[in-house]
Amino acid sequence: MSVSLGPDERPPLSGDASLEAPESTARWIGILLILVLLTEQAALAFALFTPALPKIAAHYQTTQVVWVMTALVLAAAIASPVLGKLADIYGKKRILVVTAAVASTGALISALAPTFGILLAGRFLSGVGFAFTALGYSLIRDVFPARLQPMSIGIANTGVGVVTVLAPLVSGFMLDRTGVASVFWFSFALCAVGGVLTLLFVPETPVRARVSVDWVGALLLTAGLFAAMLMLSMGAGWGWLSGRTLGVLGLALAAFATWVAWERRVAEPLISIEVLTSRAVGITLLAGGVAYGATTLIATLLPMLLQTPAADYGFGLSVTEMALWLLPGGVLIVVSGVFVGATARRIGFRQHLIAGSVLIAVGALILGTTPSHPWQIVAAYGLVGFGSMIYAAVPNLVMLALPAEQRAVGANFTGLSQSMFGGMLSSVGFALLAQHVVTADATGIVYDSRGFFVAFLVAAVAALAGAVLAFWITAGRRGESSDAASPVGPRSAAR
């Protein structure tokens, strides 16, 4: 791979003396705020929509509502590395704008969807927005003044905590007053405005890389992931040992095997299999991935539990009431990122991953008992929230394990692991939950409490597996830190 300047042959803007002047700081802050409109879309995708799942299930009369999130993370897993390659070739601003156009179109389709299938198609298109974060902070690295880069990259990657805390309240206000479509319209507006402002005011990087995109690898990976998630989601209904389930499983395994063989042969693979399977990186991504998946499943299940009528075992909360109950946990998500940053050298990122995974497992087990008192829900989700320090630990562990020239690749691996395991564990959890439907009518779907116990147990086991696997991680022990691997905070416990 070679790197060149763009057609204007200008050096990176961070070297322009005029832009390094202190009086230009306000301009760069404005550009950063524009980028944050896009980079926060990944956090919004969960914080805004998981509270809406029960209402979406009731509106479309479906027990497969988990696909509202699964379609999103499936698209994210495929689109992120491809869009990263395209950004290197054609420019990061250009691909940001194109990605915003696709994602906002997806939100528009979902807002207008007359059927559940069309809604899922829109959600799949919206999933490309998960690439905003990596594209945003890599553009900042290219064009922002050096003195502003650390702060700007941190904000672009972790946001300012507002989304995590306030998005459920915004979602609740809209859902309780204007209906399901409103959250999709809200997402459409933010994404479209961010794309237009990026087009008008954000500078383009002059840096270009002469690489090719591995379209065959992307197609094979897409086929394997889709088949795997379809099998996990539908297997319980089909029968785990039925011919249909085993056939789809066979297709998934064949697609993955072909993809691995192809990636080993192609000159410029979509993902380096050698790096992916190395002990330092592979175990970190596996441990972090299953723990990530546990938080995704918990955040998807909890709104459904809280909105279950109180006559059964739930609390019959409105979405706004539910958001207020979960607010302390959202604050602890933000606090957990600060905690990791403050104790990185004293405790070590590996210990953060272990401790965070254990806290998530304990919180999931408590929620699985379908508690009868509000304080138990708040406390359990608080454990999950503070356990979300894993979102700060895993990226830093990957950065420590990789040489400097491969750290951008490592960022893509982290996002891919998060998306894959989040989607797969959610599919498993909801496939098991769907076997415990008590009633399904125009008012919504009610599940037996045993279904929630089993689904939350899946999350707890996954989080504990992440903690156990983390003991084999060789980097990020106490006292081991790196300036290059500065602490990265969590996006959201729902991711």
Side-chain angles (χ1 to χ4, degrees):
M1 180 184 75
S2 60
V3 178
S4 64
L5 298 178
D8 57 2
E9 296 298 322
R10 294 180 64 234
L13 294 178
S14 60
D16 288 356
S18 63
L19 297 179
E20 291 282 1
E23 58 267 22
S24 69
T25 298
R27 172 177 178 249
W28 290 111
I29 291 175
I31 292 171
L32 176 62
L33 292 176
I34 291 172
L35 291 175
V36 167
L37 279 176
L38 296 179
T39 61
E40 284 293 282
Q41 291 293 319
L44 273 172
F46 282 94
L48 198 63
F49 290 99
T50 50
L53 292 180
K55 291 186 178 292
I56 292 173
H59 182 78
Y60 290 100
Q61 287 294 285
T62 178
T63 60
Q64 297 298 322
V65 70
V66 67
W67 277 91
V68 171
M69 309 310 298
T70 299
L72 198 77
V73 297
L74 177 61
I78 306 309
S80 295
V82 173
L83 290 172
K85 288 264 189 177
L86 292 175
D88 286 338
I89 299 170
Y90 298 109
K92 298 177 180 70
K93 170 186 172 176
R94 181 180 299 179
I95 300 304
L96 269 172
V97 173
V98 171
T99 302
V102 175
S104 58
T105 300
L108 179 62
I109 291 172
S110 295
L112 298 172
T115 67
F116 189 61
I118 294 176
L119 181 140
L120 292 184
R123 291 295 281 167
F124 188 85
L125 290 177
S126 295
V128 304
F130 273 70
F132 285 140
T133 302
L135 292 173
Y137 68 70
S138 59
L139 177 60
I140 289 170
R141 186 178 293 115
D142 285 353
V143 304
F144 270 51
R147 62 187 171 84
L148 298 178
Q149 284 185 17
M151 176 272 293
S152 301
I153 291 173
I155 291 176
N157 190 65
T158 66
V160 292
V162 174
V163 166
T164 300
V165 175
L166 295 184
L169 295 172
V170 173
S171 179
F173 178 84
M174 292 187 295
L175 288 166
D176 289 339
R177 288 164 177 77
T178 58
V180 167
S182 61
V183 290
F184 296 106
W185 284 115
F186 185 76
S187 178
F188 165 76
L190 284 183
C191 196
V193 169
V196 171
L197 292 177
T198 298
L199 176 65
L200 295 177
F201 298 109
V202 174
E204 176 64 282
T205 173
V207 180
R208 297 290 189 276
R210 294 176 183 150
V211 297
S212 60
V213 180
D214 178 18
W215 294 110
V216 174
L219 180 62
L220 290 170
L221 183 58
T222 301
L225 287 171
F226 181 80
M229 290 185 180
L230 181 63
M231 183 272 296
L232 291 170
S233 180
M234 305 299 293
W238 292 343
W240 292 111
L241 297 178
S242 69
R244 186 185 302 182
T245 301
L246 295 177
V248 175
L249 174 61
L251 287 175
L253 295 175
F256 283 133
T258 306
W259 172 69
V260 170
W262 173 262
E263 296 294 271
R264 290 186 183 278
R265 291 181 53 194
V266 70
E268 294 181 1
L270 183 69
I271 296 173
S272 169
I273 300 299
E274 286 71 24
V275 173
L276 186 63
T277 56
S278 67
R279 178 180 176 184
V281 176
I283 293 180
T284 300
L285 293 179
L286 182 59
V290 293
Y292 282 152
T295 64
T296 301
L297 178 55
I298 291 168
T300 309
L301 289 168
L302 190 51
M304 308 192 78
L305 172 63
L306 295 181
Q307 294 179 64
T308 298
D312 295 281
Y313 50 82
F315 296 90
L317 300 183
S318 68
V319 182
T320 302
E321 291 169 336
M322 180 190 66
L324 291 172
W325 283 33
L326 301 183
L327 184 60
V331 172
L332 284 172
I333 292 170
V334 179
V335 171
S336 73
V338 177
F339 173 76
V340 170
T343 61
R345 187 175 294 276
R346 186 164 63 253
I347 294 178
F349 298 126
R350 189 187 73 155
Q351 282 71 24
H352 287 133
L353 175 55
I354 294 170
S357 298
V358 171
L359 289 175
I360 292 165
V362 173
L365 287 173
I366 295 173
L367 292 171
T369 65
T370 55
S372 57
H373 298 289
W375 70 266
Q376 294 169 316
I377 296 288
V378 173
Y381 189 62
L383 291 175
V384 175
F386 195 65
S388 295
M389 67 179 76
I390 65 171
Y391 283 85
V394 173
N396 282 293
L397 285 169
V398 173
M399 296 300 102
L400 285 171
L402 289 170
E405 66 273 12
Q406 294 183 3
R407 283 177 180 154
V409 177
N412 278 332
F413 287 170
T414 304
L416 180 63
S417 171
Q418 179 178 321
S419 299
M420 286 176 58
F421 282 101
M424 289 182 178
L425 279 172
S426 293
S427 295
V428 171
F430 269 79
L432 296 171
L433 182 64
Q435 302 308 300
H436 297 270
V437 175
V438 176
T439 60
D441 53 35
T443 63
I445 299 171
V446 175
Y447 300 92
D448 187 278
S449 61
R450 291 173 296 178
F452 279 106
F453 173 76
V454 172
F456 277 114
L457 184 62
V458 170
V461 170
L464 286 176
V468 172
L469 287 167
F471 280 99
W472 276 269
I473 295 174
T474 55
R477 298 170 186 266
R478 183 181 303 173
E480 182 178 357
S481 185
S482 168
D483 293 337
S486 57
V488 178
R491 299 287 304 162
S492 168
R495 283 183 49 195

